[in-house]
Amino acid sequence: KQQFAAEYKSHPKLKSTFDNYFTHSNYELNLLYKSGKLIYNEKLNGFVNKVLQTVLTNSSQASNLKLFIVKSTEVNAFIYHTGEVFVTLGLLAQLENESQLAYILAHEFSHFILKHHISSIVKSDGVSKTKSKTTQLSEEAEELVEFAFSREHEFEADSLGLCLVKASPYLSSSSLGAI
């Protein structure tokens, strides 16, 4: 929470919303750590971490990240507000080259540095306030609002991720298969 003191100050009315978010995400992280699904393989983790550090060479925040491989067939990668990056074996199995992995890691890192988790908290609180003020916001309308926010975040992360890859030794054209 200390690292988000500025967000607390800039959105003081959302303190309980922030607290709920951090409590829930910390609970999810603990479940993941205790699930037995994290793989601690020096070669595999070392390889993925090397790609992460290489694509983020020009970022001072890269050293704040912790990388984990998840034993799952799901094709996914995600990052928490704490800087913990999770990549599934299912995703790694689908990649054709290192450049695609570099792009995906840069995309996830982009969510982190753009603080999309913070803007999602603020926007979701706005949606729930709108819902309570208008009595009933239909589920479809609420989903559309949330989808628009998440779509906007994905476009931003795609754009910044591509810039990060272009600034790295990885070929951006080889990364395009990951988009």
Side-chain angles (χ1 to χ4, degrees):
K1 285 184 184 178
Q2 290 176 335
Q3 67 194 59
F4 298 104
E7 282 79 6
Y8 275 124
K9 288 178 183 173
S10 49
H11 304 288
K13 293 180 181 178
L14 298 179
K15 186 179 180 331
S16 67
T17 305
F18 276 100
D19 288 343
N20 289 338
Y21 169 79
F22 292 126
T23 300
H24 181 74
S25 62
N26 287 337
Y27 175 75
E28 285 180 355
L29 277 170
N30 283 331
L31 286 179
L32 192 52
Y33 288 133
K34 293 176 183 177
S35 70
K37 292 185 177 185
L38 298 182
I39 297 173
Y40 298 98
N41 177 292
E42 195 174 316
K43 285 186 179 183
L44 182 59
N45 289 57
F47 167 72
V48 177
N49 198 44
K50 177 189 77 84
V51 173
L52 177 66
Q53 296 306 317
T54 301
V55 78
L56 302 178
T57 300
N58 298 322
S59 173
S60 61
Q61 294 188 36
S63 61
N64 297 331
L65 303 179
K66 294 178 212 129
L67 180 91
F68 298 93
I69 308 295
V70 182
K71 185 177 172 182
S72 170
T73 57
E74 185 178 335
V75 178
N76 200 7
F78 50 95
I79 190 166
Y80 275 83
H81 67 276
T82 53
E84 285 140 311
V85 182
F86 296 89
V87 178
T88 65
L89 282 177
L91 172 70
L92 294 173
Q94 295 297 314
L95 298 175
E96 297 171 8
N97 55 54
E98 274 184 51
S99 293
Q100 289 179 348
L101 177 58
Y103 170 75
I104 289 167
L105 294 170
H107 171 94
E108 294 306 322
F109 179 70
S110 297
H111 285 300
F112 178 72
I113 62 171
L114 293 170
K115 297 185 178 185
H116 283 160
H117 51 282
I118 298 296
S119 57
S120 292
I121 294 168
V122 173
K123 288 176 183 177
S124 69
D125 189 68
V127 168
S128 64
K129 281 193 170 76
T130 302
K131 186 175 180 178
S132 64
K133 284 181 181 173
T134 59
T135 321
Q136 281 286 335
L137 182 63
S138 74
E139 283 185 39
E140 293 88 7
E142 188 173 347
E143 285 176 17
L144 282 172
V145 169
E146 288 176 21
F147 176 73
F149 292 145
S150 94
R151 184 193 233 176
E152 178 185 330
H153 287 168
E154 291 305 315
F155 284 140
E156 289 174 357
D158 285 344
S159 297
L160 181 55
L162 200 52
C163 289
L164 290 167
V165 169
K166 283 182 177 180
S168 79
Y170 293 104
L171 298 173
S172 57
S173 61
S174 300
S175 306
L176 294 177
I179 295 178

